[in-house]
Amino acid sequence: MKQSTYIKRPNRALQIYAIVFLIVLYLPVLFIPLFSFNDSIYVRFPMQGFTVEWYKAMWTRDSVWAALGNSVTVGFWVAIISTALGVVAARAITRYRMPGQNALITFAMLPLVVPGVIFGVALLVLVSRLGIPLSLYTVSLGHLIICLPFAIATLLPRFEGFDRSMDEASADLGENGWWTFWRVTFPMVAPGVVASLLLTFTISFDEFIMTFFLSGTDTTLPIYIWTQLRFPREFPTVLAMSTLILALSFVMVFIALWIGRLGIVTDNAEDTK
């Protein structure tokens, strides 16, 4: 009996749509690094010349360093806290079954779909009613709400593929739950933890809307860039800073996704042996 073979043909329409989508999405972004080297304060073609003066001017400003330090500080602590809470949430979701679990997961993931301006206004009203002064602490709170769903989404695949028999074997050998987690569970989910740290740090570092509503006198780098847009002569320096932030964000997100996928691919390869 002759066996028929099915050859899957590529969808040309879908490929064209994907190419057009990527061009529309990323082409405007590519003009940022291009004009950051323009020897003119005006964005126009043809370019006046090539210069790196805007990058040199950026590094000589104390205000830039202060804003950068604030962004790094907030991003560091938000990444640590959101990843720690994400580990607890992901472990509870995959290990236990509780009433209303799906509703709780949906509630935790709401910041992914609710506009940031809604959360920003809501938190601003809340901290104002409570008499809490706006500072980097309120900014960190807002960033934590945004970053926690990303941490959970990054860590869930790692815990879903975790072999529970490893925990049971550790318990049979007399190890308590705390040391079982650190010696058995954590090393196996470590790639997801690192990916979550990098991803949440990047999201916090780049966040603008929540920071705009909740920041006080200490501004982060995105807010500093926005305030400088009011001065035309500062626009080239803003483009230089935006280029560096864009490059840093791309590298960190790429590394985070690569690390997270690397751990899953390695586990799948071991399971098939």
Side-chain angles (χ1 to χ4, degrees), residues 39-60:
D39 190 14
S40 175
I41 64 174
Y42 302 105
V43 177
R44 61 187 179 185
F45 282 108
M47 296 174 60
Q48 298 295 109
F50 181 86
T51 183
V52 292
E53 291 297 325
W54 312 123
Y55 289 89
K56 294 179 181 180
M58 176 185 63
W59 295 112
T60 58

Side-chain angles (χ1 to χ4, degrees), residues 133-149:
L134 298 180
S135 63
L136 294 180
Y137 293 103
T138 55
V139 172
S140 300
L141 176 62
H143 289 193
L144 183 62
I145 293 176
I146 296 177
C147 292
L148 183 57

Side-chain angles (χ1 to χ4, degrees), residues 169-235:
S170 177
D172 291 339
L173 293 174
E175 199 70 87
N176 57 38
W178 176 257
W179 286 111
T180 295
F181 174 79
W182 282 111
R183 294 179 178 179
V184 179
T185 307
F186 185 79
M188 298 184 69
V189 301
V193 173
V194 175
S196 175
L197 288 171
L198 293 175
L199 183 61
T200 52
F201 175 85
T202 303
I203 294 172
S204 175
F205 188 87
D206 296 339
E207 176 60 28
F208 172 80
I209 297 178
M210 195 71 74
T211 310
F212 177 79
F213 286 100
L214 300 175
S215 62
T217 56
D218 296 326
T219 61
T220 60
L221 196 56
I223 296 296
Y224 176 80
I225 292 176
W226 179 79
T227 57
Q228 296 302 302
L229 291 176
R230 295 176 295 177
F231 310 102
R233 298 192 65 85
E234 301 295 332
F235 189 68

Side-chain angles (χ1 to χ4, degrees), residues 8-60:
K8 186 177 181 180
R9 297 181 178 180
N11 191 328
R12 299 296 182 184
L14 184 60
Q15 291 178 347
I16 294 174
Y17 169 78
I19 294 174
V20 173
F21 177 80
L22 292 175
I23 292 175
V24 173
L25 183 63
Y26 290 106
L27 185 61
V29 179
L30 297 178
F31 284 102
I32 294 177
L34 176 64
F35 284 108
S36 66
F37 295 101
N38 186 25
D39 190 14
S40 175
I41 64 174
Y42 302 105
V43 177
R44 61 187 179 185
F45 282 108
M47 296 174 60
Q48 298 295 109
F50 181 86
T51 183
V52 292
E53 291 297 325
W54 312 123
Y55 289 89
K56 294 179 181 180
M58 176 185 63
W59 295 112
T60 58

Side-chain angles (χ1 to χ4, degrees), residues 78-88 148 151 155 192-194 196-197 200:
V78 168
I80 294 294
I81 297 174
S82 60
T83 300
L85 294 177
V87 168
V88 175
L148 183 57
L155 291 164
V193 173
V194 175
S196 175
L197 288 171
T200 52

Side-chain angles (χ1 to χ4, degrees), residues 3 8 78 83 104 135 159 238 240-241 253 261 264 270:
Q3 184 177 2
K8 186 177 181 180
V78 168
T83 300
L104 291 175
S135 63
F159 281 94
V238 170
M241 287 187 289
V253 171
R261 180 175 175 80
I264 296 176
E270 293 178 351

